[in-house]
Amino acid sequence: MDLKLVENIADAVLYEGYMLYPYRASSVKNRQRFNWGALAPRSYSEAQHGTEAWQMQTECLLQGNGDTTLNVKIRFLHLTLREIGKLNDQGIDKEFQLVESLEVNGNLLQSWQEAVERDVALPPLKLAEHNSFEFPFSFPAAYEQETVRDGNDRAAAVIIRTQQAIAGVVSVRITDLEKHNSEKSLFKISVQIKNETPFETLAATNRDDALLRSLVSTHTILNVEDGEFVSLLDPPDDLKEFPASCQSTGTYPVLAGVEGELDCMLSSPIILYDYPQIAAESAGNLFDGAEIDEILTLRIMTLTDEEKREMRSVDDRARKILERTEMMPEEQLLKMHGVIRGLDKVKKAGQG
């Protein structure tokens, strides 16, 4: 397995929709965020009559034997609420008023939802020794307060970062479907992810409150030793009847890594084909859903100075997009223009 290739795709999936053009907190599009792969606390999901999911299921096929080992990792974003506090005239950190934004030393401070990457890696599972496995996980609450000083080194504001605790369960079920040949059996692998975070749902509770206790952009990476995954999109002729038995919910498993290799499966809330790749001409993640690098890059270049200032203050990821765009050499921009994929296939078709 080409781990770097898989991780690049997984990171793109993890931050899909993290922020959308025009990359400003004041933009309406960025006030209703995290719509892909969000697993809310079960109590909130039930109070919303299931319009917000609290669990996700991946089912896929695997050929293996007694020595086959399955590795499962789930990844998601754990949100952090960033709030801005304006200090009183005495500059006492404990006495502040929460505001949406505040300017200090020419820098714009804004309230925002940041994110921390979380990984949950299960112990290796030998197919011959396990048919079901349950792995609980949790991440604790956190609180941080940062003082911001003005040009006279006087405390002017505080940045408060609050992270709620999260708890969940990953369940794996291995079902032996049939002996495929003398050496290999066919197995169905089921992976369920459940958000069991305690959450009291009140009348005043809104989606942002629930998101702070949610698994966001949740996806699963499966890899196998001494075995092979089966494509659910293009299975071998002798296995075509079996993909229909796999029922994935809220996620879409595809083969990942080097094309032709069968040791890795990526299951994400984004619909992909087998062996997805990052475009070679892409200079970096733009986070925007169904992004078109050239168009978004050109649009960022047209932002006004005030819009760029607001974008720069959203968070480090938005700032890096802006810096990368402003420093992009012309030849890099030209690489994005008029790209034709699969040219060899077009030529062969023309010759035929």
Side-chain angles (χ1 to χ4, degrees):
M1 178 180 68
D2 187 331
L3 183 60
K4 182 62 176 174
L5 181 59
V6 175
E7 286 180 345
N8 286 344
I9 294 296
D11 285 345
V13 169
L14 188 65
Y15 286 101
E16 176 78 2
Y18 174 78
M19 65 181 86
L20 306 175
Y21 174 86
Y23 305 110
R24 302 195 305 274
S26 61
S27 169
V28 174
K29 288 195 295 184
N30 285 314
R31 293 180 182 179
Q32 180 70 14
R33 303 166 66 208
F34 308 115
N35 297 311
W36 289 278
L39 301 182
R42 180 174 182 172
S43 58
Y44 180 77
S45 174
E46 291 174 346
Q48 299 300 312
H49 306 291
T51 56
E52 296 284 348
W54 68 277
Q55 61 181 330
M56 171 185 287
Q57 176 173 282
T58 293
E59 288 196 339
C60 59
L61 301 173
L62 171 62
Q63 290 181 291
N65 52 44
D67 295 324
T68 301
T69 301
L70 175 68
N71 297 293
V72 178
K73 177 193 286 187
I74 72 164
R75 304 177 75 220
F76 60 89
L77 296 178
H78 187 175
L79 301 191
T80 300
L81 176 62
R82 183 183 74 203
E83 297 177 293
I84 306 303
K86 181 180 180 181
L87 297 182
N88 63 15
D89 293 338
Q90 285 72 43
I92 302 173
D93 289 3
K94 292 183 180 180
E95 297 180 11
F96 57 81
Q97 176 186 359
L98 292 178
V99 294
E100 283 296 314
S101 63
L102 184 66
E103 186 170 323
V104 179
N105 293 335
N107 297 317
L108 184 63
L109 308 178
Q110 301 179 85
S111 298
W112 185 247
Q113 290 171 328
E114 299 176 344
V116 175
E117 298 175 19
R118 298 297 194 194
D119 291 356
V120 178
L122 277 61
L125 303 173
K126 270 198 174 293
L127 268 59
E129 299 173 3
H130 296 85
N131 54 25
S132 64
F133 183 85
E134 194 168 87
F135 186 85
F137 65 89
S138 62
F139 294 94
Y143 179 87
E144 175 184 289
Q145 187 170 304
E146 174 188 349
T147 301
V148 181
R149 298 185 176 277
D150 61 20
N152 297 319
D153 198 32
R154 180 180 176 181
V158 290
I159 301 175
I160 307 104
R161 291 182 172 88
T162 307
Q163 197 169 62
Q164 302 295 334
I166 280 180
V169 175
V170 182
S171 302
V172 180
R173 187 173 68 256
I174 301 170
T175 306
D176 193 342
L177 296 181
E178 70 165 19
K179 198 77 172 179
H180 181 54
N181 56 42
S182 58
E183 296 180 352
K184 294 181 180 179
S185 291
L186 184 65
F187 298 88
K188 181 165 71 174
I189 309 299
S190 301
V191 180
Q192 279 193 330
I193 306 168
K194 301 177 181 179
N195 186 349
E196 300 284 5
T197 304
F199 182 48
E200 184 178 1
T201 54
L202 305 174
T205 297
N206 58 37
R207 186 172 185 267
D208 284 342
D209 293 330
L211 279 174
L212 294 173
R213 298 161 177 85
S214 297
L215 320 182
V216 172
S217 298
T218 311
H219 61 278
T220 305
I221 301 175
L222 305 96
N223 74 280
V224 64
E225 302 167 26
D226 295 317
E228 295 180 344
F229 288 106
V230 176
S231 171
L232 301 179
L233 300 176
D234 186 22
D237 289 342
D238 58 337
L239 297 176
K240 283 189 179 294
E241 65 183 282
F242 292 99
S245 69
C246 295
Q247 301 295 319
S248 294
T249 305
T251 187
Y252 306 89
V254 297
L255 294 170
V258 177
E259 187 164 356
E261 295 184 355
L262 303 172
D263 59 351
C264 185
M265 190 74 80
L266 170 64
S267 186
S268 84
I270 308 298
I271 299 176
L272 301 169
Y273 292 102
D274 284 339
Y275 306 111
Q277 297 182 31
I278 301 296
E281 64 275 5
S282 178
N285 200 337
L286 293 168
F287 305 122
D288 205 307
E291 64 190 50
I292 301 174
D293 288 35
E294 182 187 18
I295 293 175
L296 287 175
T297 299
L298 291 172
R299 285 180 173 177
I300 292 169
M301 289 177 175
T302 65
L303 295 177
T304 66
D305 289 343
E306 181 58 31
E307 289 170 336
K308 288 180 179 179
R309 186 173 83 108
E310 188 179 347
M311 176 179 174
R312 188 176 286 110
S313 69
V314 168
D315 68 7
D316 284 344
R317 294 183 179 91
R319 177 179 55 77
K320 288 176 181 177
I321 290 175
L322 182 58
E323 291 176 350
R324 187 175 69 233
T325 301
E326 291 183 324
M327 295 187 295
M328 181 177 292
E330 185 177 357
E331 56 268 25
Q332 178 64 45
L333 183 60
L334 290 174
K335 284 182 182 179
M336 302 179 190
H337 182 69
V339 176
I340 299 177
R341 307 196 191 282
L343 189 58
D344 288 342
K345 295 180 180 178
V346 174
K347 287 181 177 178
K348 290 177 182 178
Q351 295 170 356

